[in-house]
């Protein structure tokens, strides 16, 4: 991963209190990936299995779902540096509750669940930040 990704992760609530060097030590390039999505593209569908923690590095996403009458409801806008569905990652049957659509060209850092667990166990600040983000 290039330095801009580590810089962006440094602005994410998950890594609050850590410098870029500490983040680079926790987020191993070989275990994480960055995916690009063009404006208007569907990033994930409601009901998709969610096995990696996603962090918006650049851009913005729209979270929406269809109600029982077929009307599309926008739930929220997710912007740069935000975690996506952090409370879903460790839930039983980790399925996304919404469809995610890129509102502009977007890059997402994807960190596998096993790596998130390793980071949570190795740094108490990351654990506290994650729990705060999930609302616990």
């Amino acid at each position: 991963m290039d330095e801009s990704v580590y810089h962006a992760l440094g602005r994410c609530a998950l890594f609050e209190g850590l410098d870029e060097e500490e983040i680079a030590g926790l987020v191993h390039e070989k275990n994480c990936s960055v995916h690009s999505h063009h404006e208007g593209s569907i990033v994930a569908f409601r009901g998709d299995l969610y096995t990696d923690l996603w962090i918006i590095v650049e851009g913005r996403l729209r979270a929406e779902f269809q109600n029982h009458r077929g009307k599309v409801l926008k739930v929220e806008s997710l912007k740069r540096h935000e975690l996506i569905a952090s409370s879903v990652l460790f839930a039983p049957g980790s399925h996304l509750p919404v469809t995610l659509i890129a509102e502009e060209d977007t890059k997402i850092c994807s960190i596998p669940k096993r790596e998130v667990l390793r980071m949570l166990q190795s740094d108490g600040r990351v654990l506290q930040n994650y729990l705060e983000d999930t609302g616990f």
Side-chain angles (χ1 to χ4, degrees), residues 88-99:
V88 173
L89 185 62
F90 294 103
S94 321
H95 295 277
L96 284 172
V98 293
T99 295

Side-chain angles (χ1 to χ4, degrees), residues 11 16 21 23 43-44 61 63 68 80 89 109 120 131 134:
R11 297 181 168 277
E16 186 176 323
E21 189 174 304
I23 295 167
V43 175
L61 298 177
H68 63 282
R80 185 195 308 186
L89 185 62
C109 179
L120 297 176
L131 292 174
T134 60

Side-chain angles (χ1 to χ4, degrees), residues 69-83:
R69 294 185 183 149
K71 182 177 178 182
V72 175
L73 303 170
K74 180 178 176 179
V75 177
E76 67 180 318
S77 270
L78 301 160
K79 56 188 184 300
R80 185 195 308 186
H81 309 132
E82 287 193 53
L83 303 179

Side-chain angles (χ1 to χ4, degrees), residues 50-76:
Y50 189 65
T51 58
D52 296 1
L53 179 64
W54 292 349
I55 302 170
I56 301 172
V57 175
E58 289 178 19
R60 193 174 64 237
L61 298 177
R62 177 176 70 244
E64 64 183 32
F65 71 92
Q66 275 188 329
N67 69 12
H68 63 282
R69 294 185 183 149
K71 182 177 178 182
V72 175
L73 303 170
K74 180 178 176 179
V75 177
E76 67 180 318

Side-chain angles (χ1 to χ4, degrees), residues 75-126:
V75 177
E76 67 180 318
S77 270
L78 301 160
K79 56 188 184 300
R80 185 195 308 186
H81 309 132
E82 287 193 53
L83 303 179
I84 300 171
S86 59
S87 60
V88 173
L89 185 62
F90 294 103
S94 321
H95 295 277
L96 284 172
V98 293
T99 295
L100 298 170
I101 300 168
E103 289 189 319
E104 58 189 49
D105 289 350
T106 301
K107 288 184 180 179
I108 298 171
C109 179
S110 178
I111 306 172
K113 184 192 290 189
R114 70 180 183 288
E115 285 302 305
V116 174
L117 274 173
R118 184 189 55 73
M119 289 188 307
L120 297 176
Q121 292 170 340
S122 66
D123 194 304
R125 296 169 295 179
V126 177

